[in-house]
Amino acid sequence: NNIRPDVVDIQWFVPQHGFVLIPLILLLKYWFRSKAKVFLTVHNVLPHETRAFDRLLSRLAFGVSDRLLVHAEKLREEAVQHFGQDPRKIAVVPHGICADGTFPYEKTEARFRLGIKEKHVLLFFGYVRPYKGLSDLIDAFKIVAEKFDVALVIAGEFFTGLSQYREQLRSKGLLRKTYLFPRYIGSEEIPVFFSAADLLVQPYIKFSGQSGVSQTAYLHSVAIVATDVGGLPELVIHGKTSTIVHPSDPEGLAFAIE
């Protein structure tokens, strides 16, 4: 009862959270004596996997919030196009870094910790979901591995399909060169993976936001190859900071990696 905030920032990840968050927003705005302004940080305007009531809940939450904060210009466009939001109500704030400030390891030490023996290391990092295009990366890795002494590190929790990806790697003879860490990677471990890598690959098939993984790669001076989807090109500047390729094109992806 003693807290009287002027502004409350609420994180919006998926629409089903709206069953709890929309009543909370209304309480903050109209019931509590503070009558706080409510900012909604919208990580995904359109969810990666759709469910019933998604658009209704999103429309209600966006409508009752005072400001929307999004991580990419692409997200601002989606909020205007799909939910009729006033663009003046929406601010673009780039995604932050996924790190705890731990100083990076030397490359040789990081690779020793992960058991990597190859000369070059590609990194696929973060939650593994179908839209992130790991299958395309495995196809591209096959092409690259035939020419170079290279390893692929896949680090992140799998939502689905771990056995499917293992079989794809096995069928292409890539298991020996692939280092799988199919689990959640805590912030204290992140520097080990990025310090070991030469290149971060983000082969997303569809995407509308930005990724904190990209920012974290820059923190560790790791170059990026990413696809031309969503807000990634706003961070990954083709020909300057990294390379942008078309989605769903393993051959083009392999060429960019090489």
Side-chain angles (χ1 to χ4, degrees):
N1 291 331
N2 295 324
I3 299 176
R4 299 286 187 273
D6 296 310
V7 174
V8 177
D9 179 33
I10 296 176
Q11 304 297 302
W12 180 269
F13 292 98
V14 290
Q16 60 262 40
H17 290 172
F19 289 110
V20 174
L21 294 182
I22 292 170
L24 174 61
I25 293 170
L26 293 173
L27 284 172
L28 288 168
K29 285 172 62 66
Y30 303 115
W31 186 264
F32 291 164
R33 281 177 291 173
S34 68
K35 291 184 169 53
K37 297 290 185 182
V38 175
F39 288 16
L40 202 64
T41 296
V42 182
H43 293 264
N44 299 295
V45 173
L46 300 174
H48 302 308
E49 294 88 16
T50 58
R51 301 171 180 85
F53 304 111
D54 277 353
R55 289 187 177 257
L56 174 61
L57 291 169
S58 296
R59 187 177 297 277
L60 287 172
F62 298 168
V64 298
S65 299
D66 295 290
R67 293 294 302 272
L68 301 179
L69 308 180
V70 297
H71 294 316
E73 189 62 41
K74 178 71 172 179
L75 288 172
R76 190 213 298 261
E77 293 171 3
E78 289 183 350
V80 173
Q81 177 183 351
H82 295 282
F83 298 100
Q85 294 299 303
D86 185 341
R88 296 171 298 180
K89 176 181 176 178
I90 307 168
V92 177
V93 181
H95 201 297
I97 295 169
C98 301
D100 63 359
T102 305
F103 194 80
Y105 295 85
E106 292 293 332
K107 193 176 294 291
T108 52
E109 179 186 357
R111 292 183 179 182
F112 175 78
R113 286 173 174 265
L114 298 176
I116 299 171
K117 301 177 179 62
E118 287 76 11
K119 183 177 180 180
H120 305 290
V121 177
L122 309 178
L123 176 63
F124 179 96
F125 188 88
Y127 289 115
V128 182
R129 302 167 81 165
Y131 75 87
K132 291 191 174 182
L134 177 55
S135 181
D136 289 338
L137 174 54
I138 293 172
D139 288 342
F141 180 46
K142 172 64 174 176
I143 298 171
V144 176
E146 291 174 348
K147 304 176 185 178
F148 299 94
D149 181 23
V150 59
L152 173 61
V153 175
I154 301 170
E157 186 176 349
F158 282 70
F159 274 58
T160 58
L162 176 56
S163 59
Q164 166 196 329
Y165 294 119
R166 283 188 189 274
E167 176 56 28
Q168 185 182 1
L169 289 164
R170 187 203 62 77
S171 67
K172 294 181 179 296
L174 296 171
L175 279 175
R176 184 177 59 84
K177 291 177 171 287
T178 302
Y179 298 80
L180 270 171
F181 299 86
R183 56 179 174 80
Y184 174 76
I185 307 297
S187 60
E188 70 283 354
E189 292 185 276
I190 289 174
V192 180
F193 289 93
F194 282 88
S195 297
D198 295 306
L199 187 68
L200 173 73
V201 187
Q202 296 182 283
Y204 294 8
I205 298 169
K206 62 176 183 176
F207 191 52
S208 61
Q210 275 188 357
S211 170
V213 176
S214 306
Q215 304 279 35
T216 305
Y218 288 148
L219 175 67
H220 292 87
S221 301
V222 176
I224 302 171
V225 171
T227 47
D228 186 14
V229 295
L232 289 179
E234 297 176 35
L235 276 178
V236 184
I237 304 172
H238 182 68
K240 292 187 177 181
T241 61
S242 293
T243 303
I244 290 289
V245 299
H246 295 300
S248 303
D249 180 9
E251 291 79 12
L253 184 61
F255 180 78
I257 291 171
E258 292 172 7

